Amino acid sequence: MAAPPDPQPHVMVLPFPAQGHVMPLMELSHRLVGHGIEVDFVNTEYNHDRAIKAMGAERGAVDPGGIHMVSLPDGMGPDGDRTDIATVGRGLPAAMLAPLKDMIRSRKTKWVIADVSMCWVMELAATTGVRVALFSTFSAAVFALRLHVPKLIDDGVLDECANVKRNVTIQLSPKMPPIEAAELPWVCLSSLPDRRRVIIQILQKTHPMIPLAAAIICNTFEQIESEELDLVPNALPVGPLEAPAASRSAGQLWQEDSACLPWLDAQARGSVIYVAFGSFTVFDAARFLELADGLELTGRPFLWTVRTNFTTGIGEDWLDAFKRRVEGKGLVVGWAPQQRVLSHPSVACFVSHCGWNSTMEGLRHGVPFLCWPYFADQFCNQSYICNVWGTGVKIHADERGVVTKEEIKNKVAQLLGDEGIKARAAIWKDAACTSIAEGGSSDQNLLKLVKLLTE
């Protein structure tokens, strides 16, 4: 009698509960399913409901691309502030460790791929026997900086509360983007000292767990971060990751407005300014109004993503009037299908907060950047774009901390008039596409990961 077929390999995927973390891990999950691996994707209950709503599906009635969507409590009440990263991160282990343990045992899970921001999950290896790979939602350079934080504290660059004591320039390898201590991700993650203290304490507590991971999966590729990847233990760069074009993805927590795609079709090739600041950036009224005026002042068509919680002090009436005023030359949407936008031939440049997902997507599609970082790792990513790859320019605020409409107009003109930036963006696009094509470095690393997960 023939032996029964081997069961389908079964992996649990666990993102930190934020848009920029859920999306790339969902993209990786689609790739794993394509290689015959069964995936349980674990969101918090709050984000699970958001993802299902964004897809236009009923709760419990969705199985995107063969991925099994499950959810667990995050330990917060219904009115909890889930934009407070420190509070969210601090409460997750107590809320999730026990139900994760039960889920792993009941489903006989052998592998967990956990966001590095959830690396407390390594505790489950001892109690359940599960093997754990970590996933980095930021660059290899930032991961290397994370590993370097204890030394920065020992050297007196930072204190135990992530306050800067010596604002030195940090560069761990010659090709790594230089970054000032004041722009380290954990320093500029919050303006509130108590929140920074909590974040740095979580980082230090989990630091010894990282070398225990079977692999560190990175959304990057060898051609752009070869030296930095050497500083990451067991690194497997598999990027740039993107959502599959032919299937629904539950990686979005905001409902995408696809009406912008026909609008882009009607614009001239290489003419549109695309403006998007991710899921956390918030502008006050002064900054918001200058940006609106600056986009008009460029005289170019623009597509601007404005989340419902993007600004304070600007009412719906003003925004509706602005939409009417710019109709025909500008389009404002709540949330855009960004990867499809960046791949569109009408897009000329990307005004971006420089989140790592956006950075990889812009690089993948050869789009020049106007860099406008907000917090966390975005300043390091700006340094990559402007100082290392040469594919963008920085925006500068005035003495009030406001980016003026004239600065926006002038920097857009500078960016789009620089043929060197366009040429370098095209070169890096080719490198990114080569890495994920069959036989490319990231494709080969993905196959290594599949082999590891199926052992």
Side-chain angles (χ1 to χ4, degrees):
M1 181 181 293
D6 291 335
Q8 191 175 27
H10 191 195
V11 175
M12 176 187 288
V13 175
L14 182 66
F16 184 83
Q19 174 68 79
H21 296 248
V22 171
M23 184 176 66
L25 274 161
M26 179 59 72
E27 290 165 351
L28 176 67
S29 297
H30 281 290
R31 300 297 302 275
L32 295 178
V33 167
H35 284 278
I37 292 175
E38 184 179 353
V39 172
D40 289 337
F41 196 91
V42 185
N43 272 315
T44 61
E45 291 173 347
Y46 178 81
N47 279 345
H48 179 86
D49 288 344
R50 291 182 66 196
I52 300 308
K53 182 179 178 182
M55 294 179 71
E58 295 296 325
R59 196 183 201 284
V62 63
D63 188 23
I67 296 168
H68 181 54
M69 301 280 289
V70 294
S71 62
L72 293 175
D74 61 9
M76 301 184 76
D79 298 325
D81 182 6
R82 289 170 173 85
T83 64
D84 183 346
I85 296 172
T87 300
V88 171
R90 182 169 49 187
L92 288 174
M96 299 184 79
L97 269 173
L100 283 171
K101 186 185 301 183
D102 292 342
M103 189 182 299
I104 288 168
R105 286 173 172 164
S106 66
R107 295 184 65 80
K108 297 180 172 59
T109 303
K110 300 300 182 185
W111 276 96
V112 173
I113 297 176
D115 193 318
V116 70
S117 300
M118 308 277 275
C119 64
W120 44 262
V121 171
M122 293 297 304
E123 295 179 26
L124 294 171
T127 56
T128 67
V130 75
R131 298 186 71 187
V132 180
L134 296 177
F135 181 89
S136 173
T137 55
F138 32 76
S139 69
V142 168
F143 199 105
L145 284 168
R146 185 192 197 281
L147 297 176
H148 199 66
V149 164
K151 188 173 189 309
L152 293 174
I153 293 173
D154 290 343
D155 291 346
V157 176
L158 303 179
D159 68 12
E160 296 283 347
C161 297
N163 297 310
V164 176
K165 296 303 180 183
R166 292 192 297 117
N167 191 23
V168 297
T169 299
I170 302 163
Q171 190 173 25
L172 301 183
S173 72
K175 292 184 179 179
M176 185 170 166
I179 186 167
E180 302 301 309
E183 293 185 343
L184 285 167
W186 311 278
V187 173
C188 56
L189 196 55
S190 174
S191 60
L192 301 176
D194 286 348
R195 288 185 183 176
R196 291 201 308 272
R197 177 178 51 81
V198 169
I199 290 164
I200 208 79
Q201 286 175 348
I202 293 172
L203 187 150
Q204 289 188 278
K205 180 180 178 181
T206 57
H207 181 81
M209 300 178 184
I210 290 176
L212 304 177
I216 307 293
I217 308 161
C218 303
N219 184 18
T220 187
F221 58 105
E222 291 175 1
Q223 290 89 332
I224 56 166
E225 290 202 283
S226 57
E227 290 186 1
E228 295 84 341
L229 285 161
D230 288 340
L231 301 174
V232 178
N234 301 318
L236 272 179
V238 298
L241 291 166
E242 284 204 324
S247 67
R248 294 190 302 171
S249 174
Q252 294 293 340
L253 304 180
W254 301 82
Q255 189 163 7
E256 295 177 333
D257 185 348
S258 296
C260 61
L261 299 174
W263 183 87
L264 285 172
D265 291 340
Q267 309 307 313
R269 186 180 185 89
S271 66
V272 175
I273 304 166
Y274 173 54
V275 188
F277 290 91
S279 57
F280 273 98
T281 305
V282 176
F283 275 25
D284 62 19
R287 290 171 175 82
F288 185 89
L289 293 173
E290 286 291 329
L291 173 54
D293 290 344
L295 292 174
E296 275 194 277
L297 202 58
T298 66
R300 288 179 168 270
F302 61 87
L303 171 61
W304 184 13
T305 296
V306 180
R307 303 182 325 267
T308 52
N309 61 348
F310 177 64
T311 184
T312 56
I314 299 294
E316 284 295 319
D317 290 345
W318 186 95
L319 191 58
D320 289 341
F322 177 78
K323 290 176 182 178
R324 291 192 296 271
R325 188 168 79 239
V326 301
E327 188 173 359
K329 58 183 177 180
L331 181 66
V332 179
V333 298
W335 193 256
Q338 181 162 291
Q339 294 174 10
R340 297 175 71 184
V341 168
L342 290 171
S343 67
H344 200 283
S346 71
V347 171
C349 67
F350 186 8
V351 181
S352 173
H353 66 307
C354 304
W356 187 244
N357 294 316
S358 292
T359 299
M360 282 290 93
E361 291 162 4
L363 198 73
R364 159 72 177 80
H365 294 292
V367 180
F369 283 84
L370 182 54
C371 298
W372 198 328
Y374 178 67
F375 77 155
D377 64 330
Q378 296 161 13
F379 295 93
C380 185
N381 302 337
Q382 173 184 252
S383 185
Y384 254 143
I385 292 165
C386 299
N387 301 327
V388 179
W389 305 330
T391 57
V393 298
K394 299 178 184 180
I395 204 88
H396 291 289
D398 64 13
E399 63 280 358
R400 302 168 296 156
V402 174
V403 177
T404 66
K405 55 182 176 290
E406 292 82 10
E407 169 74 358
I408 295 165
K409 174 191 175 184
N410 294 339
K411 284 297 171 64
V412 166
Q414 176 187 337
L415 179 63
L416 298 184
D418 192 322
E419 295 302 321
I421 286 177
K422 294 178 185 177
R424 288 187 290 273
I427 290 169
W428 287 119
K429 175 183 177 180
D430 288 344
C433 292
T434 299
S435 74
I436 56 177
E438 185 175 355
S441 60
S442 290
D443 178 62
Q444 291 297 309
N445 286 328
L446 181 67
L447 295 177
K448 290 178 185 177
L449 175 61
V450 170
K451 182 179 179 181
L452 183 66
L453 299 174
T454 53
E455 287 177 349

